[in-house]
Amino acid sequence: PVQLRIALEGTSSAQRMADESASNLEAPVVSWVVPIQPRLTERLRRAIAIKKLPEDEEFRRVATDRTRREARNLEEEESTLRQEIDKNIASALQRGTVYWAGNTVETNGGNNRRSGRGAGQAVAAKTKIEEALRDRIAVAYHRFAEGDCQFNPANVDKVLTAPPGDRERLDPDMGLITPDGHVHGNHVVVEELTSYLKRSTKTSGQDVTTHFSQPPFGWPPDLLRYVAAAMFVDGKLSVV
């Protein structure tokens, strides 16, 4: 659900990205408008044409020894063109304007000018884009931290067979199971899973993991499997 969109400077798409960022502060979108590099299109077209020339049917039909030698000589030009293209692209990807949640950052290699919410330091485009994506992910999945439990996925099956007194010791940092082997009813994942199963008709394992993998949760499937297994073995969940 969190998207990174890219457009070329001066296009209608670029203007639309700027307008949407300013008007929808909650949108899970980061937009990056990159500058058009001078002569990039021209260089790309020529490099492609040179590359294709030896296989061109018309060229092969009318080619002479001299034109074939000239075509081979063009290979050096193609190599030079591709080096220039690589430089153009690398330069473009260090620059541009990044929009998200009402913020506007104009990057220029290691320098930027920022407007919107807060002030920014001089950074490259990649760093600023990563920051913007983290911000949007945190907004979209604002309940992720509640289910950010430390556990070993391999223990999902073990919790079903372990004696009650051993269940808590499998993954004590989860705070899911009491020392005597019962599930904490007020554990946030237990509460949310119980609530979902009560109100929804889509209760297959796939339905459950899909629901909780989406915003605002973003919880991993193994977490849901672990909690469901613990609830089942504790008699708090039945399989129909």
Side-chain angles (χ1 to χ4, degrees), residues 123-220:
V123 292
K126 178 182 177 182
T127 303
K128 188 53 61 176
I129 290 168
E130 289 174 348
E131 174 191 319
L133 287 171
R134 285 194 295 269
D135 174 80
R136 294 296 82 196
I137 290 171
V139 170
Y141 294 97
H142 60 267
R143 296 201 61 183
F144 173 79
E146 298 175 40
D148 189 17
C149 304
Q150 297 296 318
F151 67 98
N152 183 355
N155 288 336
V156 173
D157 292 331
K158 292 179 182 179
V159 77
L160 292 169
T161 57
D166 293 341
R167 294 171 192 162
E168 189 267 344
R169 289 194 291 272
L170 289 173
D171 290 284
D173 292 339
M174 286 187 75
L176 174 66
I177 301 173
T178 64
D180 57 356
H182 297 293
V183 170
H184 284 290
N186 61 351
H187 190 282
V188 64
V189 181
V190 173
E191 290 181 338
E192 287 297 332
L193 179 56
T194 302
S195 175
Y196 172 80
L197 293 174
K198 286 181 177 179
R199 69 177 185 272
S200 177
T201 57
K202 297 181 178 181
T203 57
S204 71
Q206 183 63 49
D207 291 330
V208 171
T209 56
T210 297
H211 172 76
F212 286 104
S213 68
Q214 297 173 347
F217 302 102
W219 294 345

Side-chain angles (χ1 to χ4, degrees), residues 206-240:
Q206 183 63 49
D207 291 330
V208 171
T209 56
T210 297
H211 172 76
F212 286 104
S213 68
Q214 297 173 347
F217 302 102
W219 294 345
D222 282 337
L223 172 65
L224 279 303
R225 295 188 187 102
Y226 198 120
V227 173
M231 292 175 65
F232 172 76
V233 77
D234 192 30
K236 291 183 169 61
L237 183 67
S238 60
V239 177
V240 179

